[in-house]
Amino acid sequence: MTHARRPGHPVLTTTRDELVAALTPAPARRAVIMTMGALHPGHLALVEHARRLADQVVVTIFVNPLQFGPAEDLDRYPRDLQGDLTLLAAAGVDVVFAPTVEVVYPDGDPTVTVSAGIFGEVLEGAARPGHLDGVLTVVLKLLHLVRPDVALFGQKDAQQLMAVRRMVRDLDVPVRIDAVPTVRDSDGLALSSRNAFLSPEDRVRACGLSAALFAGAARAGSGADAVRAATAAALRSAGLEVEYLALVDPVTVAEVGDRYSGEAVLALAARVGSTRLIDNVPLTLR
Ligand code: PAF
């Protein structure tokens, strides 16, 4: 038997027992979308994709302290559970799991955690030490708690997606991982909960990130060096403070050489005002 979808009536669960009750009986196919809340149309695109795949769609909302560094924005990370529930109700989600920190980490910070390996050492990993270990640890826990057939992640957090795929493969986690393309505003800015921190002027400057990525991707037919050069030139003329710009193999996260051909991800991180933004585009190098 499968859970009927009841738009307007997702079951809100906050404890493990409530979650187990809401997941029973097991549907033919369950999908999970893990979020930190402050939902936007990018998250809703994941829900829409999940609804096409699964009989039961579960959304988790949990701002995971383990993935924030001591000087990062854990305290000011946007939180709006009521707003999120309204959006998820309209999107036809079946179950929402919004636990407290004590429910997820009943013994305090976990002693045993997942190591992101090389993914935790380069690019986002280098800029945010421990971040991807914290992400993978909570993702694995939530996969165990929700027991989905498929988990959906946005391409927007490309390195997170790569690391999750690798964890699932290396640790034989029985779940399929689907990626959903980044949702952008009409001016190209990738949707992100952190866009809420941008002033109107910063919001305009932030469009320089996607504009640079598109300028780079337009040179994909000319090889990796041409892509890097076009992206760097566009970033320079936008006057953005870039933390990293990388063109990497999507499986190994290694920088690709100029003779590389195949799938790659052009990724960057930049600071706009006091807000750190990341963005990327997948492309095929020839
Ligand atoms: O992408 C996010 O929102 C978070 O990193 C995730 C996957 C929900 C883990 O906390």
Side-chain angles (χ1 to χ4, degrees), residues 7-180:
H9 300 282
V11 179
L12 172 62
T13 64
T14 57
T15 66
R16 288 163 183 249
D17 287 348
E18 286 172 3
L19 176 65
V20 168
L23 297 180
T24 311
R29 201 166 177 78
R30 179 184 297 138
V32 70
I33 296 146
M34 299 174 206
T35 80
M36 298 206 299
L39 303 179
H40 52 63
H43 296 109
L44 300 180
L46 295 172
V47 171
E48 205 182 303
H49 186 103
R51 286 196 51 169
R52 286 199 293 268
L53 290 176
D55 307 285
Q56 188 179 49
V57 176
V58 181
V59 171
T60 68
I61 299 178
F62 178 61
V63 182
N64 173 35
L66 217 60
Q67 68 189 73
F68 288 80
E72 291 185 353
D73 56 357
L74 173 63
D75 291 337
R76 72 165 191 152
Y77 196 85
R79 292 164 171 86
D80 178 14
L81 183 59
Q82 277 319 311
D84 291 345
L85 292 174
T86 305
L87 289 174
L88 295 177
V93 164
D94 300 290
V95 179
V96 174
F97 181 47
T100 59
V101 173
E102 291 70 30
V103 166
V104 176
Y105 300 114
D107 305 314
D109 279 355
T111 305
V112 176
T113 57
V114 179
S115 162
I118 186 65
F119 298 95
E121 290 165 21
V122 299
L123 310 180
E124 281 307 286
R128 305 182 65 189
H131 167 66
L132 281 164
D133 294 352
V135 168
L136 293 187
T137 301
V138 81
V139 165
L140 189 59
K141 281 171 74 77
L142 291 170
L143 288 174
H144 288 318
L145 292 170
V146 177
R147 288 173 280 108
D149 301 283
V150 55
L152 295 102
F153 290 87
Q155 175 66 38
K156 160 79 171 45
D157 290 304
Q159 198 172 342
Q160 166 173 289
L161 172 65
M162 293 176 207
V164 168
R165 284 195 194 284
R166 189 69 203 201
M167 173 180 76
V168 162
R169 187 177 165 84
D170 283 352
L171 302 185
D172 292 311
V173 186
V175 67
R176 179 176 121 191
I177 303 297
D178 272 16
V180 174

Side-chain angles (χ1 to χ4, degrees), residues 194-243:
R194 287 189 171 95
N195 292 353
F197 298 143
L198 296 169
S199 68
E201 301 74 38
D202 287 344
R203 172 80 183 58
V204 172
R205 292 186 61 228
C207 293
L209 271 75
S210 53
L213 290 173
F214 298 151
R219 301 300 310 279
S222 308
D225 288 349
V227 169
R228 287 191 185 92
T231 315
L235 288 167
R236 265 195 309 278
S237 64
L240 286 166
E241 193 191 322
V242 180
E243 218 170 78

